[in-house]
Amino acid sequence: MSLLDHQLELLAPARDADIGIEAVNHGADAVYIGGPSFGARSSADNSVADIARLVRHAHRFNGRIFVTMNTILRDDELEGARKLAWQLYEAGADALIIQDMGLLEIDMPPIQLHASTQTDIRTPEKARFLQDAGLSQIVLARELTLKQIAAIRAQTDTERCTLEFFVHGALCVAYSGQCYISHAHTGRSANRGECSQACRLPYQVVDDKGRFVAHDKHVLSMKDNNQSENIAALVDAGIRSFKIEGRYKDMGYVKNITAHYRKLLDELIEARQDSDQPGHFPLSRASSGRTTFTFTPDPNQNFNREFTDYFVQGRKEDIGAFDSPKNPGQSIGYVTQVGPNWVELETTDATTVLHNGDGLCYYDLQKELMGLAINRAEAVGKPKADGTQQRWRVFPKDDMAGLKDLRKGTQVNRNRDMNWMRVLDKKSSDRRIGVWATLTRTANGITLAYTDEDGCVGQAQAALDHEQAKDPASADTNNRTHVGKLGATIFEALEIDLTGASGLFVQASLLNTLRRDAIADLEAARALAVHRLPRAAPVEPPVPYPQDSLSYLANVHNQAAHAFYAKHGVKVIYAAYEDNQELGEVSLMITKHCVRFSLSLCPKQAKGVVGVQGQVKAEPLQLINGKEKLTLRFDCKPCEMHVVGKMKTSVLNQLSKAAAGDVAAAPLTFHKVRPLH
C-alpha cells in the first residue's frame, strides 16, 4: 500500500470559479467544475480563463482542479472537445472527468483522466476494465453497499486507480447514465447535460387492474444523500475520494457542506493517528493546510429533501421523498393562532429565534408543502427568566388567503434561516499552511527562512551590523512578533526559532521586509513544487471489455467510441439512445429503487407473513402524469426496477428535422447483429 493510498481527498463542486475558490478556502482538497462546454450540467459552464484563476488558487494549497467533460459526444463535436482538452491542460487543470470513451481514441493532452458517474460503475469487472483502459480515478455507483465497494477495491490496484464515492447531495434515482426519459419525452438528453428531471414529478401509481396504488406521489424522487455516519466505514471499504454533489448549488451550500465533511475527515484522520486496531493505519489530507470556520457546519441548514444513506448499509424503505421534492426544512413549532394578517407560533425550543426574511413551510391536508415567507417577526409576551422567547407573531409577505389549511395545531418548519445565510455571506473560513520560522545570523547580516509542512523553503537575507540589544529578552519578543506576523498570508507560524539570532537588535522595518520577501520566495517555491498528475497508460495489448455486445445502454454516440469498444473485443455495438434508433418500448430508466418495496408491495416483504405470503406478485405498475404514461417492470433477481416507455412521436419528428438541417449531427447506425467474421 503506497503513501498516496493513505490520503483522503475531499472533492467539492463549483458552479463557478468564485464558489470553487471558497470550496478550497473551506477545506476542499480538490474541486470539480464545468468548462465552457461538454459538461453534464449545461447551465454551469465556465471560461478557460476562470478555470485558470481557480487552478492558481487551489495549487497554492496543493489542491487539485478537475474539469468535467462528461457528456456523450457526436462525431462533429470530437474536434472541439480535443481542442478544449488542450486548452484546459494549458490552463493548469489537473484532470478531466469523462464519460465518452471516444476521447481515449483521439489526440488528448497528457492530462489525467477520471471516470464520470455517468460511466455507471457497479461491478469489479467494469471498474478494473476502466482502470486498465487508463482511467486513474473512478466514481462508483451511488447504489453500492459497503461489501460491494470492498469487492471492487479488492479487484483494482491502489497504485493505479483511486476509488471515489458521492457522500452528499441530490440523488439521481436512476443508475447514472442509464436514464433516457428526458430524451424520450422532451428531446433533451441527460447524457448530454440537459436532464428535464421527470423523476421529481408527481405520479399516479396504478396496478395491472387499473386500481390506484398511490395518488400524486413523487415516487421517483429520492431523499438527499448523506454519508456523514459512514465515513470511516467507506474508508475501510477502500474509498479515498469523498465527493459532494452540487455543481448547480450556491455559495452557502458549498461553504457549509465542504466545511462539514472537512471536519469529519479531519476527526477521522486524527483518530487514526495512534490507532492500534487491526486494519487501521495513519491517514492524511490530500492537500495542505488546516481550516478553521466562523460557524458550526450543519447540513440541515441547506436545501435538502431530508436525508438517506441510500444503499450503503443495505436496502431501506425510507429512501424516497414521495410527498414533495421541495425542502421541508426543520420543525420549529406549532401554530397557536391565525389572525387576519398574522400567524402566532409557539416554538418547541425556547432558544429558536425567528428573523425577518426567514422561510417557513407546512404541509396542507393533501400533504402538499406550502411556503410562508416572513415579512416581519415579533416576539409575543415577556421572555423567560433566561431571556429565551417561545411565542412569536409572524406577518407573512403574501396574502393570508393563499396559505391553504393553515390552522391551530399545524406543525411549522423553517427551511430558510436569514441569520445563518448572513453568516455565510461573509468571510467564514481561514485556511493556513503551517510553517517553521528560523531567524539566523550570517557573516554579514541576517537570514529569515520559512519551511512549510510540505518541505518547501522560502528565505530572504539582509546586511546587518550585529548589535546586541540592551534588553535581549525584549528584543527576542519583538523579533518573534514580527517574524510570526503572517495574518495577510496563507501561512501560520507553528514554531519560531531565534536561537541563531538570540538577543540581536533588528529594526522592525527590516524584519517586515525580510518576512514579506521570504514569504514571496516560499510561495514561488510552492508553485514550482506543484507536479502534474500523471496520465495513466492503458494496458497493452488492450484488455477485453467484460461483455462482447453492447446495447443502447452503453451510450456509444460516435465512431471513436465505437472504435474504442471494438478494439477491446466488443463484437456487437448498438448506437446510443440519443441516435433515435430505439423506437419501440425500452427501459428508459434502470434503478435500484423499487416502488413496490417502498410501498410495501414487494413479494420478498410478504415472505413468511401469514395470509399474505404468495398473494403479492411483482406485477407491472403504471406511472401516470397528465398524458405521460410509463410502465414499471420489476426484475427481482438483481432487485432492480425498469421504467419502460418509448420515444414520443413529436420528439422524434422534432429531432429528425433538426438532424436533417445539420448533416454533422445525423444519428449513427452500428451493427445490430453479430458479424459473420
Side-chain angles (χ1 to χ4, degrees):
M1 188 176 291
S2 70
L3 290 175
L4 286 178
D5 192 53
H6 296 320
Q7 292 185 347
L8 304 184
E9 174 184 272
L10 177 56
L11 178 54
R15 186 177 64 200
D16 57 43
D18 290 334
I19 292 177
I21 287 169
E22 285 305 318
V24 172
N25 292 344
H26 285 72
D29 299 302
V31 171
Y32 66 106
I33 186 171
S37 54
F38 308 123
R41 295 291 183 271
S42 61
S43 300
D45 294 343
N46 295 275
S47 69
V48 173
D50 267 352
I51 288 174
R53 177 165 64 93
L54 174 56
V55 166
R56 288 192 295 271
H57 184 73
H59 283 182
R60 296 178 76 192
F61 296 94
N62 205 26
R64 299 294 184 181
I65 301 302
F66 307 150
V67 183
T68 59
M69 288 183 61
N70 58 339
T71 59
I72 56 173
L73 305 167
R74 300 191 310 258
D75 280 299
D76 64 304
E77 294 173 322
L78 287 171
E79 177 59 15
R82 185 194 70 80
K83 289 179 179 177
L84 177 58
W86 278 96
Q87 291 170 358
L88 292 168
Y89 175 74
E90 290 161 1
D94 296 287
L96 300 180
I97 301 173
I98 67 168
Q99 174 187 188
D100 197 317
M101 294 299 114
L103 292 171
L104 276 69
E105 295 295 301
I106 64 175
D107 176 30
M108 293 283 280
I111 190 171
Q112 192 167 99
L113 300 178
H114 295 182
S116 166
T117 182
Q118 302 296 110
T119 56
D120 183 31
I121 305 167
R122 287 179 265 157
T123 66
E125 295 79 13
K126 179 78 170 284
R128 187 169 186 87
F129 171 79
L130 291 172
Q131 167 195 280
D132 292 345
L135 283 297
S136 299
Q137 186 157 311
I138 59 176
V139 59
L140 304 185
R142 297 168 172 92
E143 293 81 3
L144 298 185
T145 64
L146 290 169
K147 184 178 179 180
Q148 290 170 320
I149 293 169
I152 289 174
R153 179 72 288 172
Q155 293 298 314
T156 49
D157 187 344
T158 59
E159 300 280 347
R160 297 163 56 206
C161 189
T162 299
L163 299 189
E164 179 184 309
F165 195 71
F166 277 101
V167 293
H168 202 94
L171 284 167
C172 292
V173 63
Y175 291 124
S176 290
Q178 304 292 280
C179 184
Y180 310 94
I181 296 176
S182 181
H183 185 78
H185 287 182
T186 70
R188 293 156 49 196
S189 166
N191 281 315
R192 288 178 56 78
E194 296 182 320
C195 179
S196 61
Q197 296 201 319
C199 56
R200 301 299 181 188
L201 297 175
Y203 291 97
Q204 315 288 351
V205 184
V206 180
D207 69 12
D208 58 334
K209 295 179 176 60
R211 297 173 298 194
F212 282 91
V213 175
H215 176 71
D216 275 350
K217 290 294 182 182
H218 303 261
V219 293
L220 298 180
S221 179
M222 297 293 95
K223 292 180 179 177
D224 284 3
N225 187 21
N226 186 333
Q227 300 296 335
S228 297
E229 301 298 321
N230 295 323
I231 296 300
L234 287 167
V235 169
D236 294 339
I239 298 301
R240 291 297 177 268
S241 179
F242 299 82
K243 189 171 192 174
I244 300 167
E245 180 276 338
R247 282 202 296 121
Y248 278 156
K249 300 292 189 179
D250 61 23
M251 179 82 78
Y253 170 94
V254 173
K255 283 184 173 186
N256 182 34
I257 304 303
T258 302
H260 172 70
Y261 284 95
R262 179 73 274 157
K263 291 189 72 172
L264 291 181
L265 288 173
D266 284 350
E267 288 167 3
L268 180 62
I269 290 168
E270 185 69 27
R272 292 285 176 94
Q273 291 305 311
D274 303 313
S275 175
D276 56 1
Q277 292 187 37
H280 286 187
F281 41 83
L283 303 168
S284 63
R285 295 184 300 277
S287 62
S288 308
R290 290 184 178 273
T291 310
T292 56
F293 310 105
T294 65
F295 65 101
T296 301
D298 180 5
N300 288 313
Q301 291 287 355
N302 291 113
F303 179 98
N304 67 82
R305 302 173 182 89
E306 300 184 300
F307 292 120
T308 174
D309 67 355
Y310 217 30
F311 293 93
V312 168
Q313 297 286 359
R315 184 179 288 277
K316 299 176 181 177
E317 292 185 14
D318 61 344
I319 62 175
F322 296 165
D323 289 329
S324 175
K326 301 175 184 177
N327 178 13
Q330 303 298 303
S331 175
I332 59 166
Y334 297 86
V335 174
T336 56
Q337 286 188 71
V338 177
N341 64 340
W342 51 263
V343 181
E344 196 165 289
L345 309 174
E346 182 168 329
T347 59
T348 50
D349 182 349
T351 62
T352 299
V353 177
L354 300 183
H355 318 98
N356 298 347
D358 279 2
L360 307 182
C361 60
Y362 66 94
Y363 285 101
D364 67 16
L365 296 179
Q366 283 72 45
K367 292 292 286 182
E368 285 292 323
L369 197 63
M370 305 293 293
L372 188 163
I374 298 178
N375 183 49
R376 189 170 83 254
E378 297 178 352
V380 176
K382 294 182 179 179
K384 295 185 176 182
D386 61 2
T388 59
Q389 183 74 44
Q390 274 195 274
R391 294 178 61 209
W392 295 85
R393 181 164 289 183
V394 168
F395 295 83
K397 286 185 176 179
D398 298 319
D399 195 288
M400 291 289 294
L403 300 176
K404 182 183 175 187
D405 297 332
L406 186 63
R407 62 188 67 188
K408 182 178 180 180
T410 300
Q411 178 181 310
V412 176
N413 298 351
R414 176 162 60 185
N415 56 11
R416 184 180 67 243
D417 184 337
M418 287 303 297
N419 191 54
W420 171 268
M421 295 176 70
R422 291 186 189 104
V423 169
L424 291 183
D425 281 343
K426 304 172 186 175
K427 177 179 169 59
S428 50
S429 69
D430 192 28
R431 182 167 181 172
R432 303 233 169 214
I433 298 168
V435 295
W436 289 263
T438 306
L439 188 65
T440 311
R441 302 171 195 250
T442 62
N444 300 309
I446 195 169
T447 295
L448 175 59
Y450 293 97
T451 303
D452 69 24
E453 60 191 57
D454 298 309
C456 296
V457 179
Q459 60 183 4
Q461 299 178 343
L464 178 71
D465 292 333
H466 296 158
E467 177 185 347
Q468 282 296 111
K470 295 179 181 179
D471 184 349
S474 178
D476 283 351
T477 298
N478 289 335
N479 292 348
R480 187 180 304 277
T481 297
H482 288 289
V483 168
K485 195 181 292 184
L486 300 174
T489 73
I490 62 170
F491 304 101
E492 64 176 346
L494 302 177
E495 188 177 299
I496 299 174
D497 182 3
L498 301 179
T499 53
S502 181
L504 193 65
F505 172 74
V506 185
Q507 289 186 337
S509 59
L510 179 58
L511 276 177
N512 290 339
T513 299
L514 282 172
R515 183 187 69 245
R516 286 192 294 268
D517 292 348
I519 289 297
D521 191 49
L522 177 58
E523 287 257 31
R526 288 187 62 80
L528 288 174
V530 174
H531 64 278
R532 285 276 189 183
L533 296 176
R535 167 80 175 272
V539 171
E540 293 292 346
V543 297
Y545 190 74
Q547 303 161 249
D548 69 355
S549 64
L550 294 175
S551 74
Y552 68 94
L553 297 171
N555 302 322
V556 179
H557 199 38
N558 57 69
Q559 295 291 348
H562 183 278
F564 170 86
Y565 286 110
K567 181 175 73 176
H568 289 277
V570 182
K571 304 299 184 185
V572 179
I573 303 171
Y574 281 58
Y577 190 76
E578 287 76 4
D579 286 298
N580 310 321
Q581 309 278 319
E582 306 290 342
L583 303 182
E585 285 205 335
V586 297
S587 294
L588 295 179
M589 175 194 290
I590 305 175
T591 172
K592 194 71 176 173
H593 163 54
C594 177
V595 168
R596 277 193 168 275
F597 186 86
S598 293
L599 297 179
S600 299
L601 296 173
C602 172
K604 295 179 182 179
Q605 292 168 311
K607 189 175 182 181
V609 180
V610 177
V612 178
Q613 181 171 336
Q615 301 302 309
V616 179
K617 306 291 184 182
E619 299 293 344
L621 299 174
Q622 193 169 56
L623 298 184
I624 303 173
N625 175 271
K627 295 181 179 180
E628 308 291 357
K629 293 183 179 180
L630 295 163
T631 301
L632 303 182
R633 298 191 185 278
F634 304 92
D635 188 351
C636 293
K637 188 173 181 180
C639 214
E640 294 176 342
M641 182 176 76
H642 291 240
V643 183
V644 177
K646 64 180 182 179
M647 191 173 299
K648 293 170 67 173
T649 303
S650 59
V651 170
L652 183 61
N653 291 339
Q654 166 197 331
L655 294 172
S656 298
K657 287 180 182 178
D662 184 356
V663 176
L668 300 179
T669 301
F670 297 139
H671 287 302
K672 289 199 174 184
V673 294
R674 190 181 299 274
L676 296 176
H677 57 279

